[in-house]
Amino acid sequence: MPTTAQIPASPGSRRLISALGGYGMVLPAFLLMVAIIAYPAVLSIIQTLTTGVDGRATGFTLAQYLFFFHDRLSMTNLLYTLRVGFIVLAVLLVVCFPIALYLRFSHSKLTSAVYILALFPLFVPTINLSFAMIRFTTTHGLLDTLLSRAGLVHYVTPYLRTSGTIIGLVWEGIPFTVLILNAARVQVDDSLLESARDVGASIPQVFLRILLPLIKNAVIIILALQFLGILGSYTIPYLLGPAEPEMIGVFMERTYDQVHAPLQAQTQAVISFFIAAIAGILYVRTVASQQRRTEGR
């Protein structure tokens, strides 16, 4: 007669033990996220919904948000941030798709050099990038000097202009975009692309009709994650961008530190959070649908 120790565990017991073990491993990270992310976010939302413009607790009120959406400066900075974000995303796709196509179809020795150069900004700290761009693009800087020697004397520096912010954010976003596109195009079956080339399709046709539909999920992931990074950017807009209008991150810091209005800064943060949540939901839905398709194969 088998002893208790010899009786094999039932499939239900094994599943329960496995589930408890998995939850136990996830629990510390989950509690940390609750402590440093969820709790402060919920507390900020509650404070902005229960405090009037004069700083007094009034119960439920939308006064802080009504003030934000009726304040010309606040709305100008928010719309400016969204405009810069969409421009940066468009430029990133225009710049990085040709690089990804070149890396996909070219087999020359130059391919590795192009790939290394595309990833180089990944290893440059943002603060170093910002000051390097200032020295390179400012009036009487290296670029201005080279253009002057070539006879081009009407150079206008992008430093402290919107174009400076866009250039810096694009330069910073190129490595991540190229990495995701490169990983996505590797998953595309070579036979599909080669068959299209064999029947006379040009590279743009291969890209638009075959490659792009197959990597559309990767494109959505890129757009979502890059938008989140742009929305929360501070160093590049602060050092390279104009004083007015401001990116929302710079505006938020100035409201808190210089204007000494922490509740208004919290309101700006909450509004930014909900805008970011839209991109986050898009990212999660895309990843989840991609995983379901992978599991269904």
Side-chain angles (χ1 to χ4, degrees), residues 56-73:
R56 298 180 181 179
T58 60
F60 178 79
T61 177
L62 295 175
Q64 294 292 334
Y65 297 94
L66 292 175
F67 174 81
F68 178 91
F69 287 110
H70 286 87
D71 181 55
R72 184 191 62 80
L73 181 61

Side-chain angles (χ1 to χ4, degrees), residues 111-297:
T111 304
S112 298
V114 171
Y115 190 59
I116 292 173
L117 286 175
L119 297 186
F120 176 73
L122 188 65
F123 306 100
V124 179
T126 303
I127 188 71
N128 293 11
L129 160 65
S130 300
F131 282 110
M133 286 197 61
I134 292 173
R135 293 295 302 271
F136 181 73
T137 63
T138 189
T139 304
H140 306 303
L142 178 59
L143 181 59
D144 189 16
T145 301
L146 294 176
L147 292 176
S148 297
R149 292 181 179 179
L152 302 175
V153 296
H154 299 291
Y155 170 75
V156 178
T157 177
Y159 176 50
L160 298 182
R161 299 174 183 267
T162 300
S163 54
T165 300
I166 293 173
I167 293 171
L169 292 174
V170 168
W171 202 86
E172 185 183 43
I174 285 176
F176 178 78
T177 305
V178 171
L179 279 174
I180 299 297
L181 289 177
N182 190 51
R185 59 92 181 170
V186 168
Q187 298 176 3
V188 177
D189 191 354
D190 289 347
S191 62
L192 294 175
L193 305 179
E194 293 172 358
S195 299
R197 296 298 302 276
D198 290 340
V199 298
S202 63
I203 291 180
Q205 289 175 328
V206 172
F207 168 72
L208 292 174
R209 299 185 180 183
I210 299 177
L211 191 59
L212 185 58
L214 293 175
I215 65 172
K216 64 180 182 180
N217 285 339
V219 175
I220 295 175
I221 290 173
I222 290 170
L223 294 176
L225 294 182
Q226 290 287 11
F227 179 78
L228 291 173
I230 295 167
L231 190 64
S233 60
Y234 175 80
T235 304
I236 288 177
Y238 179 75
L239 293 177
L240 300 178
E244 186 179 353
E246 299 172 309
M247 295 284 285
I248 195 68
V250 180
F251 180 50
M252 197 183 307
E253 189 278 335
R254 188 174 62 81
T255 302
Y256 180 85
D257 187 53
Q258 299 180 19
V259 182
H260 303 292
L263 198 58
Q264 291 182 22
Q266 278 185 294
T267 304
Q268 297 162 13
V270 172
I271 292 172
S272 300
F273 170 77
F274 280 106
I275 294 174
I278 298 174
I281 292 171
L282 181 63
Y283 167 79
V284 171
R285 286 174 59 90
T286 302
V287 172
S289 63
Q290 188 173 2
Q291 185 175 359
R292 284 196 298 267
R293 283 195 296 270
T294 301
E295 293 174 352
R297 291 178 182 176

Side-chain angles (χ1 to χ4, degrees), residues 102-103 106-118:
Y102 176 80
L103 295 176
S106 176
H107 303 284
S108 65
K109 295 181 180 179
L110 189 60
T111 304
S112 298
V114 171
Y115 190 59
I116 292 173
L117 286 175

